Amino acid sequence: MEMTCPKSGKCPIFQGGVLKRANSERVYRSLYCNAGSEKYTKCMRYIVAEKAGKPAPISVLPNCSKSVDEILKEL
Ligand code: SF4
């Protein structure tokens, strides 16, 4: 498995410039996106995208506290 999330190429959190605080994006990248498959598969954006078959909305952050079902219902 890759160290970097396979969704990173199209993920706005990874690409950067979407959150008010650039530092938050850096933290997410180090905690999830670039932290190996064990971590990026726990990212809520990753999980939602896998289940929904399409990218997660930008409002869903890697550590989003909602349940997957709640998020999917709102899509
Ligand atoms: S935020 Fe989540 S889905 Fe996006 S690149 Fe990082 S680990 Fe992957």
Side-chain angles (χ1 to χ4, degrees):
M1 282 284 228
E2 300 283 327
M3 277 306 286
T4 301
C5 175
K7 303 193 187 302
S8 58
K10 290 188 176 168
C11 182
I13 298 291
F14 190 87
Q15 296 300 317
V18 289
L19 300 182
K20 276 196 199 125
R21 296 171 59 203
N23 194 48
S24 311
E25 293 169 341
R26 273 196 292 277
V27 170
Y28 286 135
R29 281 196 288 271
S30 69
L31 289 180
Y32 293 91
C33 317
N34 289 322
S37 59
E38 206 169 299
K39 300 291 184 181
Y40 66 64
T41 54
K42 304 225 166 48
C43 167
M44 197 51 110
R45 295 186 54 76
Y46 180 97
I47 296 168
V48 166
E50 286 288 294
K51 292 227 171 172
K54 57 183 182 183
I58 187 59
S59 58
V60 177
L61 294 174
N63 61 345
C64 180
S65 58
K66 287 182 185 171
S67 74
V68 179
D69 285 343
E70 268 178 288
I71 296 169
L72 290 177
K73 257 187 242 159
E74 290 168 8
L75 289 184

Short mmCIF file of all heavy atoms in Angstrom, two decimals:
data_model
loop_
_atom_site.label_atom_id
_atom_site.label_comp_id
_atom_site.label_asym_id
_atom_site.label_seq_id
_atom_site.Cartn_x
_atom_site.Cartn_y
_atom_site.Cartn_z
N MET A 1 0.84 -1.21 0.00
CA MET A 1 0.00 0.00 0.00
C MET A 1 0.88 1.26 0.00
O MET A 1 1.97 1.27 0.55
CB MET A 1 -0.90 0.02 1.25
CG MET A 1 -2.11 -0.89 1.15
SD MET A 1 -3.39 -0.20 0.10
CE MET A 1 -4.82 -0.44 1.15
N GLU A 2 0.35 2.29 -0.59
CA GLU A 2 1.06 3.57 -0.68
C GLU A 2 1.08 4.28 0.66
O GLU A 2 0.18 4.11 1.47
CB GLU A 2 0.34 4.48 -1.68
CG GLU A 2 0.23 3.93 -3.07
CD GLU A 2 1.53 4.05 -3.83
OE1 GLU A 2 2.25 5.03 -3.58
OE2 GLU A 2 1.84 3.18 -4.64
N MET A 3 2.10 5.12 0.84
CA MET A 3 2.13 5.97 2.04
C MET A 3 1.12 7.10 1.94
O MET A 3 0.57 7.57 2.92
CB MET A 3 3.53 6.59 2.22
CG MET A 3 4.53 5.69 2.90
SD MET A 3 3.96 5.08 4.50
CE MET A 3 4.12 6.55 5.52
N THR A 4 0.94 7.57 0.71
CA THR A 4 0.04 8.72 0.51
C THR A 4 -1.31 8.25 0.00
O THR A 4 -1.40 7.34 -0.82
CB THR A 4 0.67 9.70 -0.50
OG1 THR A 4 1.93 10.12 0.02
CG2 THR A 4 -0.20 10.93 -0.70
N CYS A 5 -2.34 8.88 0.50
CA CYS A 5 -3.72 8.52 0.14
C CYS A 5 -3.92 8.56 -1.38
O CYS A 5 -3.55 9.55 -2.03
CB CYS A 5 -4.67 9.50 0.81
SG CYS A 5 -6.38 9.27 0.33
N PRO A 6 -4.50 7.52 -1.94
CA PRO A 6 -4.72 7.50 -3.39
C PRO A 6 -5.73 8.56 -3.86
O PRO A 6 -5.82 8.82 -5.06
CB PRO A 6 -5.26 6.08 -3.65
CG PRO A 6 -5.71 5.57 -2.32
CD PRO A 6 -4.91 6.28 -1.28
N LYS A 7 -6.45 9.16 -2.93
CA LYS A 7 -7.40 10.21 -3.33
C LYS A 7 -6.76 11.60 -3.29
O LYS A 7 -7.41 12.60 -3.60
CB LYS A 7 -8.63 10.19 -2.40
CG LYS A 7 -9.32 8.83 -2.39
CD LYS A 7 -10.67 8.88 -1.76
CE LYS A 7 -11.27 7.49 -1.60
NZ LYS A 7 -11.39 6.75 -2.87
N SER A 8 -5.49 11.66 -2.93
CA SER A 8 -4.84 12.95 -2.71
C SER A 8 -4.81 13.83 -3.97
O SER A 8 -4.89 15.05 -3.87
CB SER A 8 -3.43 12.75 -2.17
OG SER A 8 -2.67 11.97 -3.07
N GLY A 9 -4.70 13.22 -5.13
CA GLY A 9 -4.60 14.00 -6.37
C GLY A 9 -5.78 14.92 -6.60
O GLY A 9 -5.63 15.99 -7.20
N LYS A 10 -6.95 14.48 -6.12
CA LYS A 10 -8.15 15.30 -6.36
C LYS A 10 -8.75 15.80 -5.07
O LYS A 10 -9.83 16.39 -5.08
CB LYS A 10 -9.19 14.47 -7.12
CG LYS A 10 -8.78 14.19 -8.54
CD LYS A 10 -9.90 13.54 -9.33
CE LYS A 10 -9.48 13.36 -10.78
NZ LYS A 10 -10.39 12.50 -11.51
N CYS A 11 -8.10 15.56 -3.96
CA CYS A 11 -8.69 15.96 -2.69
C CYS A 11 -8.31 17.40 -2.34
O CYS A 11 -7.13 17.71 -2.24
CB CYS A 11 -8.23 15.02 -1.58
SG CYS A 11 -8.98 15.43 0.00
N PRO A 12 -9.32 18.26 -2.15
CA PRO A 12 -9.01 19.67 -1.86
C PRO A 12 -8.26 19.88 -0.55
O PRO A 12 -7.48 20.84 -0.44
CB PRO A 12 -10.38 20.35 -1.82
CG PRO A 12 -11.39 19.26 -1.75
CD PRO A 12 -10.75 18.01 -2.28
N ILE A 13 -8.46 19.01 0.41
CA ILE A 13 -7.71 19.15 1.66
C ILE A 13 -6.23 18.91 1.40
O ILE A 13 -5.36 19.61 1.90
CB ILE A 13 -8.22 18.15 2.73
CG1 ILE A 13 -9.69 18.41 3.07
CG2 ILE A 13 -7.35 18.18 3.98
CD1 ILE A 13 -9.95 19.70 3.81
N PHE A 14 -5.95 17.93 0.58
CA PHE A 14 -4.56 17.63 0.26
C PHE A 14 -3.97 18.71 -0.65
O PHE A 14 -2.82 19.14 -0.46
CB PHE A 14 -4.44 16.26 -0.41
CG PHE A 14 -3.02 15.79 -0.56
CD1 PHE A 14 -2.40 15.11 0.46
CD2 PHE A 14 -2.31 16.07 -1.71
CE1 PHE A 14 -1.07 14.70 0.35
CE2 PHE A 14 -0.99 15.65 -1.84
CZ PHE A 14 -0.37 14.97 -0.81
N GLN A 15 -4.74 19.14 -1.61
CA GLN A 15 -4.24 20.14 -2.56
C GLN A 15 -4.03 21.49 -1.89
O GLN A 15 -3.15 22.25 -2.26
CB GLN A 15 -5.21 20.28 -3.75
CG GLN A 15 -5.34 19.01 -4.59
CD GLN A 15 -4.02 18.56 -5.20
OE1 GLN A 15 -3.26 19.37 -5.71
NE2 GLN A 15 -3.74 17.27 -5.15
N GLY A 16 -4.84 21.76 -0.87
CA GLY A 16 -4.64 22.97 -0.07
C GLY A 16 -5.37 24.20 -0.58
O GLY A 16 -5.89 24.22 -1.70
N GLY A 17 -5.42 25.20 0.30
CA GLY A 17 -6.04 26.48 -0.07
C GLY A 17 -7.53 26.55 0.15
O GLY A 17 -8.16 27.51 -0.27
N VAL A 18 -8.12 25.54 0.79
CA VAL A 18 -9.57 25.57 0.99
C VAL A 18 -9.98 25.92 2.42
O VAL A 18 -11.05 26.46 2.64
CB VAL A 18 -10.26 24.25 0.57
CG1 VAL A 18 -10.24 24.10 -0.93
CG2 VAL A 18 -9.64 23.06 1.25
N LEU A 19 -9.14 25.61 3.38
CA LEU A 19 -9.49 25.92 4.77
C LEU A 19 -8.90 27.28 5.13
O LEU A 19 -7.89 27.70 4.57
CB LEU A 19 -8.95 24.84 5.71
CG LEU A 19 -9.47 23.43 5.46
CD1 LEU A 19 -8.89 22.46 6.48
CD2 LEU A 19 -10.99 23.39 5.50
N LYS A 20 -9.57 27.95 6.08
CA LYS A 20 -9.11 29.29 6.47
C LYS A 20 -7.69 29.23 7.01
O LYS A 20 -6.88 30.11 6.79
CB LYS A 20 -10.05 29.87 7.53
CG LYS A 20 -11.25 30.54 6.92
CD LYS A 20 -11.95 31.43 7.94
CE LYS A 20 -13.37 31.71 7.48
NZ LYS A 20 -14.37 31.36 8.46
N ARG A 21 -7.41 28.17 7.74
CA ARG A 21 -6.07 28.07 8.33
C ARG A 21 -5.25 27.03 7.58
O ARG A 21 -5.54 25.83 7.65
CB ARG A 21 -6.19 27.71 9.80
CG ARG A 21 -6.90 28.80 10.59
CD ARG A 21 -7.20 28.37 11.99
NE ARG A 21 -5.99 27.99 12.71
CZ ARG A 21 -5.99 27.18 13.75
NH1 ARG A 21 -7.11 26.66 14.19
NH2 ARG A 21 -4.87 26.89 14.36
N ALA A 22 -4.24 27.51 6.88
CA ALA A 22 -3.39 26.60 6.10
C ALA A 22 -2.74 25.57 7.02
O ALA A 22 -2.48 24.44 6.62
CB ALA A 22 -2.31 27.38 5.37
N ASN A 23 -2.53 25.97 8.26
CA ASN A 23 -1.91 25.02 9.19
C ASN A 23 -2.78 23.79 9.43
O ASN A 23 -2.26 22.69 9.59
CB ASN A 23 -1.60 25.72 10.52
CG ASN A 23 -0.66 24.89 11.36
OD1 ASN A 23 0.37 24.43 10.86
ND2 ASN A 23 -1.01 24.67 12.61
N SER A 24 -4.10 23.97 9.42
CA SER A 24 -4.99 22.82 9.59
C SER A 24 -4.80 21.83 8.47
O SER A 24 -4.79 20.62 8.67
CB SER A 24 -6.46 23.25 9.59
OG SER A 24 -6.65 24.33 10.45
N GLU A 25 -4.65 22.35 7.26
CA GLU A 25 -4.43 21.45 6.12
C GLU A 25 -3.12 20.69 6.29
O GLU A 25 -3.06 19.49 6.02
CB GLU A 25 -4.43 22.24 4.81
CG GLU A 25 -5.80 22.82 4.49
CD GLU A 25 -5.78 23.82 3.36
OE1 GLU A 25 -4.70 24.34 3.03
OE2 GLU A 25 -6.87 24.07 2.80
N ARG A 26 -2.11 21.38 6.76
CA ARG A 26 -0.82 20.70 6.97
C ARG A 26 -0.95 19.59 8.01
O ARG A 26 -0.40 18.50 7.85
CB ARG A 26 0.25 21.70 7.43
CG ARG A 26 0.96 22.38 6.28
CD ARG A 26 2.25 23.04 6.74
NE ARG A 26 1.98 24.19 7.61
CZ ARG A 26 1.68 25.41 7.16
NH1 ARG A 26 1.63 25.65 5.87
NH2 ARG A 26 1.45 26.39 8.00
N VAL A 27 -1.70 19.88 9.06
CA VAL A 27 -1.87 18.88 10.12
C VAL A 27 -2.64 17.68 9.58
O VAL A 27 -2.25 16.53 9.80
CB VAL A 27 -2.59 19.51 11.35
CG1 VAL A 27 -2.98 18.43 12.35
CG2 VAL A 27 -1.70 20.54 12.01
N TYR A 28 -3.72 17.92 8.86
CA TYR A 28 -4.47 16.80 8.28
C TYR A 28 -3.59 15.97 7.36
O TYR A 28 -3.63 14.75 7.36
CB TYR A 28 -5.69 17.31 7.49
CG TYR A 28 -6.82 17.80 8.35
CD1 TYR A 28 -7.47 19.00 8.05
CD2 TYR A 28 -7.26 17.06 9.45
CE1 TYR A 28 -8.52 19.46 8.84
CE2 TYR A 28 -8.30 17.51 10.23
CZ TYR A 28 -8.93 18.72 9.92
OH TYR A 28 -9.97 19.17 10.69
N ARG A 29 -2.78 16.67 6.57
CA ARG A 29 -1.90 15.93 5.65
C ARG A 29 -0.94 15.02 6.41
O ARG A 29 -0.71 13.89 6.01
CB ARG A 29 -1.13 16.90 4.74
CG ARG A 29 -1.98 17.42 3.59
CD ARG A 29 -1.13 18.04 2.50
NE ARG A 29 -0.54 19.30 2.88
CZ ARG A 29 -1.15 20.47 2.71
NH1 ARG A 29 -2.32 20.55 2.14
NH2 ARG A 29 -0.55 21.58 3.09
N SER A 30 -0.40 15.53 7.49
CA SER A 30 0.58 14.69 8.19
C SER A 30 -0.11 13.60 9.02
O SER A 30 0.43 12.50 9.16
CB SER A 30 1.54 15.51 9.04
OG SER A 30 0.87 16.09 10.11
N LEU A 31 -1.32 13.89 9.53
CA LEU A 31 -1.99 12.87 10.36
C LEU A 31 -2.71 11.81 9.54
O LEU A 31 -2.87 10.68 9.99
CB LEU A 31 -3.02 13.53 11.28
CG LEU A 31 -2.49 14.37 12.44
CD1 LEU A 31 -3.65 14.94 13.24
CD2 LEU A 31 -1.59 13.55 13.34
N TYR A 32 -3.16 12.19 8.35
CA TYR A 32 -3.95 11.26 7.53
C TYR A 32 -3.33 11.00 6.16
O TYR A 32 -2.91 9.89 5.87
CB TYR A 32 -5.37 11.81 7.33
CG TYR A 32 -6.21 11.87 8.58
CD1 TYR A 32 -6.24 13.01 9.37
CD2 TYR A 32 -7.00 10.78 8.98
CE1 TYR A 32 -7.01 13.08 10.53
CE2 TYR A 32 -7.77 10.84 10.13
CZ TYR A 32 -7.77 11.99 10.90
OH TYR A 32 -8.53 12.05 12.04
N CYS A 33 -3.31 12.05 5.33
CA CYS A 33 -2.99 11.88 3.91
C CYS A 33 -1.63 11.22 3.65
O CYS A 33 -1.51 10.36 2.78
CB CYS A 33 -3.02 13.21 3.19
SG CYS A 33 -4.39 14.27 3.64
N ASN A 34 -0.63 11.64 4.41
CA ASN A 34 0.73 11.12 4.17
C ASN A 34 1.17 10.13 5.23
O ASN A 34 2.37 9.88 5.40
CB ASN A 34 1.74 12.29 4.15
CG ASN A 34 1.58 13.15 2.91
OD1 ASN A 34 1.33 12.63 1.83
ND2 ASN A 34 1.70 14.45 3.08
N ALA A 35 0.23 9.59 5.95
CA ALA A 35 0.60 8.76 7.11
C ALA A 35 0.42 7.26 6.88
O ALA A 35 0.40 6.47 7.82
CB ALA A 35 -0.20 9.22 8.33
N GLY A 36 0.26 6.88 5.63
CA GLY A 36 0.15 5.45 5.34
C GLY A 36 -1.28 4.96 5.35
O GLY A 36 -2.19 5.64 5.83
N SER A 37 -1.46 3.76 4.80
CA SER A 37 -2.82 3.26 4.58
C SER A 37 -3.61 3.07 5.88
O SER A 37 -4.82 3.23 5.91
CB SER A 37 -2.79 1.94 3.81
OG SER A 37 -2.05 0.99 4.53
N GLU A 38 -2.90 2.78 6.96
CA GLU A 38 -3.62 2.59 8.22
C GLU A 38 -4.33 3.87 8.66
O GLU A 38 -5.40 3.81 9.27
CB GLU A 38 -2.63 2.16 9.29
CG GLU A 38 -3.26 1.36 10.41
CD GLU A 38 -2.20 0.74 11.29
OE1 GLU A 38 -1.40 -0.07 10.77
OE2 GLU A 38 -2.15 1.11 12.46
N LYS A 39 -3.73 5.00 8.34
CA LYS A 39 -4.30 6.30 8.74
C LYS A 39 -5.24 6.86 7.68
O LYS A 39 -6.33 7.32 8.01
CB LYS A 39 -3.19 7.32 9.03
CG LYS A 39 -2.27 6.91 10.13
CD LYS A 39 -2.95 6.93 11.48
CE LYS A 39 -1.97 6.60 12.58
NZ LYS A 39 -2.57 6.58 13.89
N TYR A 40 -4.82 6.86 6.43
CA TYR A 40 -5.70 7.51 5.46
C TYR A 40 -7.02 6.75 5.26
O TYR A 40 -8.03 7.34 4.90
CB TYR A 40 -5.00 7.87 4.13
CG TYR A 40 -4.51 6.74 3.25
CD1 TYR A 40 -5.38 5.83 2.65
CD2 TYR A 40 -3.15 6.63 2.96
CE1 TYR A 40 -4.92 4.83 1.81
CE2 TYR A 40 -2.68 5.64 2.12
CZ TYR A 40 -3.57 4.73 1.55
OH TYR A 40 -3.11 3.74 0.73
N THR A 41 -7.01 5.46 5.54
CA THR A 41 -8.29 4.74 5.43
C THR A 41 -9.21 5.06 6.61
O THR A 41 -10.36 4.65 6.61
CB THR A 41 -8.07 3.21 5.35
OG1 THR A 41 -7.28 2.81 6.47
CG2 THR A 41 -7.40 2.80 4.06
N LYS A 42 -8.72 5.80 7.61
CA LYS A 42 -9.57 6.23 8.72
C LYS A 42 -10.07 7.66 8.52
O LYS A 42 -10.82 8.17 9.34
CB LYS A 42 -8.80 6.14 10.04
CG LYS A 42 -8.25 4.75 10.30
CD LYS A 42 -8.48 4.29 11.72
CE LYS A 42 -8.25 2.80 11.92
NZ LYS A 42 -7.02 2.26 11.36
N CYS A 43 -9.61 8.30 7.47
CA CYS A 43 -10.05 9.66 7.16
C CYS A 43 -11.52 9.59 6.74
O CYS A 43 -11.91 8.79 5.88
CB CYS A 43 -9.21 10.21 6.01
SG CYS A 43 -9.89 11.71 5.28
N MET A 44 -12.34 10.46 7.35
CA MET A 44 -13.77 10.43 7.03
C MET A 44 -14.03 10.79 5.58
O MET A 44 -14.95 10.26 4.97
CB MET A 44 -14.52 11.37 7.98
CG MET A 44 -15.98 11.12 8.03
SD MET A 44 -16.39 9.38 8.33
CE MET A 44 -17.04 9.46 9.96
N ARG A 45 -13.21 11.64 5.01
CA ARG A 45 -13.39 11.97 3.60
C ARG A 45 -13.14 10.72 2.73
O ARG A 45 -13.84 10.49 1.75
CB ARG A 45 -12.41 13.08 3.16
CG ARG A 45 -12.68 14.41 3.85
CD ARG A 45 -11.80 15.51 3.27
NE ARG A 45 -11.91 15.62 1.83
CZ ARG A 45 -12.94 16.19 1.21
NH1 ARG A 45 -13.91 16.73 1.89
NH2 ARG A 45 -12.98 16.23 -0.11
N TYR A 46 -12.13 9.97 3.09
CA TYR A 46 -11.80 8.74 2.36
C TYR A 46 -12.95 7.74 2.48
O TYR A 46 -13.42 7.17 1.50
CB TYR A 46 -10.50 8.15 2.92
CG TYR A 46 -10.04 6.88 2.25
CD1 TYR A 46 -9.07 6.92 1.25
CD2 TYR A 46 -10.56 5.64 2.62
CE1 TYR A 46 -8.64 5.76 0.62
CE2 TYR A 46 -10.14 4.48 2.00
CZ TYR A 46 -9.19 4.54 1.00
OH TYR A 46 -8.77 3.38 0.39
N ILE A 47 -13.41 7.54 3.71
CA ILE A 47 -14.46 6.55 3.97
C ILE A 47 -15.75 6.91 3.22
O ILE A 47 -16.36 6.06 2.56
CB ILE A 47 -14.73 6.44 5.49
CG1 ILE A 47 -13.48 5.91 6.20
CG2 ILE A 47 -15.94 5.55 5.77
CD1 ILE A 47 -13.53 6.04 7.72
N VAL A 48 -16.12 8.18 3.30
CA VAL A 48 -17.35 8.63 2.63
C VAL A 48 -17.22 8.47 1.12
O VAL A 48 -18.13 7.98 0.45
CB VAL A 48 -17.68 10.10 3.02
CG1 VAL A 48 -18.73 10.70 2.09
CG2 VAL A 48 -18.16 10.16 4.46
N ALA A 49 -16.07 8.85 0.57
CA ALA A 49 -15.87 8.74 -0.88
C ALA A 49 -15.95 7.28 -1.33
O ALA A 49 -16.54 6.96 -2.36
CB ALA A 49 -14.52 9.35 -1.27
N GLU A 50 -15.37 6.40 -0.54
CA GLU A 50 -15.42 4.97 -0.87
C GLU A 50 -16.86 4.46 -0.87
O GLU A 50 -17.27 3.74 -1.76
CB GLU A 50 -14.61 4.15 0.15
CG GLU A 50 -13.11 4.29 0.01
CD GLU A 50 -12.57 3.58 -1.22
OE1 GLU A 50 -12.64 2.34 -1.27
OE2 GLU A 50 -12.08 4.28 -2.14
N LYS A 51 -17.62 4.86 0.14
CA LYS A 51 -19.00 4.37 0.26
C LYS A 51 -19.93 5.01 -0.75
O LYS A 51 -20.83 4.36 -1.28
CB LYS A 51 -19.55 4.64 1.67
CG LYS A 51 -18.86 3.81 2.72
CD LYS A 51 -19.86 3.15 3.64
CE LYS A 51 -19.10 2.17 4.53
NZ LYS A 51 -19.88 1.61 5.58
N ALA A 52 -19.72 6.32 -1.00
CA ALA A 52 -20.62 7.04 -1.88
C ALA A 52 -20.26 6.85 -3.35
O ALA A 52 -21.08 7.06 -4.23
CB ALA A 52 -20.59 8.53 -1.55
N GLY A 53 -19.02 6.46 -3.61
CA GLY A 53 -18.58 6.31 -4.99
C GLY A 53 -18.33 7.64 -5.67
O GLY A 53 -18.27 7.73 -6.89
N LYS A 54 -18.22 8.68 -4.87
CA LYS A 54 -17.88 10.01 -5.41
C LYS A 54 -17.20 10.81 -4.30
O LYS A 54 -17.30 10.44 -3.13
CB LYS A 54 -19.14 10.73 -5.91
CG LYS A 54 -20.22 10.90 -4.85
CD LYS A 54 -21.45 11.55 -5.45
CE LYS A 54 -22.51 11.76 -4.37
NZ LYS A 54 -23.75 12.31 -4.87
N PRO A 55 -16.51 11.90 -4.66
CA PRO A 55 -15.76 12.66 -3.65
C PRO A 55 -16.65 13.19 -2.54
O PRO A 55 -17.81 13.54 -2.77
CB PRO A 55 -15.13 13.81 -4.45
CG PRO A 55 -15.13 13.34 -5.86
CD PRO A 55 -16.33 12.46 -6.02
N ALA A 56 -16.11 13.26 -1.35
CA ALA A 56 -16.85 13.82 -0.21
C ALA A 56 -16.93 15.34 -0.37
O ALA A 56 -16.02 15.95 -0.90
CB ALA A 56 -16.11 13.48 1.08
N PRO A 57 -18.04 15.93 0.09
CA PRO A 57 -18.13 17.40 0.05
C PRO A 57 -17.05 18.03 0.92
O PRO A 57 -16.57 17.40 1.88
CB PRO A 57 -19.52 17.71 0.61
CG PRO A 57 -20.11 16.44 1.06
CD PRO A 57 -19.22 15.31 0.68
N ILE A 58 -16.69 19.26 0.63
CA ILE A 58 -15.59 19.91 1.35
C ILE A 58 -15.92 20.10 2.83
O ILE A 58 -15.04 20.21 3.67
CB ILE A 58 -15.19 21.24 0.66
CG1 ILE A 58 -13.95 21.83 1.31
CG2 ILE A 58 -16.31 22.25 0.64
CD1 ILE A 58 -12.74 20.94 1.28
N SER A 59 -17.21 20.11 3.16
CA SER A 59 -17.60 20.28 4.56
C SER A 59 -17.19 19.08 5.42
O SER A 59 -17.14 19.18 6.64
CB SER A 59 -19.11 20.50 4.67
OG SER A 59 -19.78 19.39 4.09
N VAL A 60 -16.90 17.96 4.79
CA VAL A 60 -16.48 16.77 5.55
C VAL A 60 -14.97 16.80 5.73
O VAL A 60 -14.21 16.73 4.75
CB VAL A 60 -16.90 15.47 4.82
CG1 VAL A 60 -16.41 14.24 5.58
CG2 VAL A 60 -18.41 15.42 4.63
N LEU A 61 -14.55 16.94 6.97
CA LEU A 61 -13.11 16.96 7.25
C LEU A 61 -12.65 15.57 7.68
O LEU A 61 -13.48 14.74 8.07
CB LEU A 61 -12.83 18.01 8.33
CG LEU A 61 -13.11 19.45 7.89
CD1 LEU A 61 -12.93 20.41 9.05
CD2 LEU A 61 -12.24 19.84 6.71
N PRO A 62 -11.34 15.33 7.61
CA PRO A 62 -10.84 13.97 7.92
C PRO A 62 -11.29 13.45 9.28
O PRO A 62 -11.56 12.25 9.44
CB PRO A 62 -9.32 14.15 7.87
CG PRO A 62 -9.12 15.24 6.87
CD PRO A 62 -10.26 16.20 7.10
N ASN A 63 -11.40 14.34 10.26
CA ASN A 63 -11.79 13.89 11.60
C ASN A 63 -13.24 14.24 11.93
O ASN A 63 -13.60 14.38 13.11
CB ASN A 63 -10.85 14.50 12.65
CG ASN A 63 -10.92 16.02 12.65
OD1 ASN A 63 -11.43 16.62 11.72
ND2 ASN A 63 -10.41 16.64 13.70
N CYS A 64 -14.06 14.39 10.92
CA CYS A 64 -15.48 14.72 11.09
C CYS A 64 -16.11 13.77 12.12
O CYS A 64 -15.93 12.56 12.06
CB CYS A 64 -16.18 14.57 9.74
SG CYS A 64 -17.91 14.95 9.80
N SER A 65 -16.88 14.37 13.04
CA SER A 65 -17.42 13.55 14.13
C SER A 65 -18.78 12.93 13.80
O SER A 65 -19.30 12.13 14.57
CB SER A 65 -17.53 14.39 15.40
OG SER A 65 -18.35 15.50 15.15
N LYS A 66 -19.36 13.30 12.66
CA LYS A 66 -20.63 12.67 12.28
C LYS A 66 -20.40 11.22 11.87
O LYS A 66 -19.29 10.85 11.49
CB LYS A 66 -21.24 13.40 11.07
CG LYS A 66 -21.80 14.76 11.40
CD LYS A 66 -22.40 15.34 10.14
CE LYS A 66 -22.88 16.75 10.36
NZ LYS A 66 -23.27 17.39 9.12
N SER A 67 -21.47 10.44 11.90
CA SER A 67 -21.33 9.05 11.44
C SER A 67 -21.35 9.04 9.91
O SER A 67 -21.84 9.97 9.27
CB SER A 67 -22.45 8.19 11.99
OG SER A 67 -23.65 8.48 11.30
N VAL A 68 -20.82 7.97 9.35
CA VAL A 68 -20.80 7.84 7.89
C VAL A 68 -22.23 7.90 7.34
O VAL A 68 -22.49 8.58 6.36
CB VAL A 68 -20.14 6.50 7.47
CG1 VAL A 68 -20.15 6.35 5.97
CG2 VAL A 68 -18.73 6.42 8.00
N ASP A 69 -23.15 7.21 8.02
CA ASP A 69 -24.54 7.19 7.55
C ASP A 69 -25.15 8.59 7.55
O ASP A 69 -25.86 8.96 6.61
CB ASP A 69 -25.39 6.27 8.43
CG ASP A 69 -25.09 4.81 8.12
OD1 ASP A 69 -24.50 4.53 7.05
OD2 ASP A 69 -25.42 3.95 8.96
N GLU A 70 -24.88 9.36 8.59
CA GLU A 70 -25.38 10.74 8.66
C GLU A 70 -24.89 11.55 7.46
O GLU A 70 -25.64 12.27 6.83
CB GLU A 70 -24.88 11.42 9.94
CG GLU A 70 -25.78 11.31 11.14
CD GLU A 70 -25.14 11.99 12.34
OE1 GLU A 70 -24.16 11.44 12.89
OE2 GLU A 70 -25.60 13.08 12.70
N ILE A 71 -23.59 11.41 7.19
CA ILE A 71 -23.01 12.18 6.08
C ILE A 71 -23.60 11.72 4.75
O ILE A 71 -23.97 12.53 3.92
CB ILE A 71 -21.47 12.02 6.06
CG1 ILE A 71 -20.87 12.62 7.34
CG2 ILE A 71 -20.88 12.69 4.83
CD1 ILE A 71 -19.41 12.30 7.56
N LEU A 72 -23.73 10.42 4.57
CA LEU A 72 -24.25 9.90 3.31
C LEU A 72 -25.68 10.38 3.08
O LEU A 72 -26.07 10.68 1.96
CB LEU A 72 -24.19 8.37 3.29
CG LEU A 72 -22.78 7.75 3.20
CD1 LEU A 72 -22.86 6.25 3.27
CD2 LEU A 72 -22.05 8.20 1.93
N LYS A 73 -26.45 10.48 4.16
CA LYS A 73 -27.84 10.95 4.04
C LYS A 73 -27.90 12.38 3.54
O LYS A 73 -28.85 12.78 2.88
CB LYS A 73 -28.53 10.86 5.40
CG LYS A 73 -29.47 9.67 5.51
CD LYS A 73 -30.25 9.72 6.82
CE LYS A 73 -29.93 8.52 7.68
NZ LYS A 73 -30.22 8.70 9.09
N GLU A 74 -26.89 13.16 3.90
CA GLU A 74 -26.89 14.58 3.53
C GLU A 74 -26.37 14.81 2.11
O GLU A 74 -26.43 15.92 1.61
CB GLU A 74 -26.03 15.37 4.53
CG GLU A 74 -26.67 15.46 5.91
CD GLU A 74 -25.71 15.97 6.98
OE1 GLU A 74 -24.59 16.40 6.62
OE2 GLU A 74 -26.09 15.94 8.16
N LEU A 75 -25.85 13.80 1.48
CA LEU A 75 -25.27 13.99 0.13
C LEU A 75 -26.36 14.22 -0.91
O LEU A 75 -27.42 13.67 -0.83
CB LEU A 75 -24.42 12.78 -0.27
CG LEU A 75 -23.12 12.58 0.47
CD1 LEU A 75 -22.37 11.39 -0.12
CD2 LEU A 75 -22.24 13.82 0.39
S1 SF4 B 1 -8.06 14.35 3.33
FE1 SF4 B 1 -8.54 12.16 3.46
S2 SF4 B 1 -9.32 11.64 1.40
FE2 SF4 B 1 -8.24 13.59 1.24
S3 SF4 B 1 -6.16 13.02 0.62
FE3 SF4 B 1 -6.20 13.22 2.85
S4 SF4 B 1 -6.55 11.16 3.62
FE4 SF4 B 1 -7.15 11.19 1.46
#
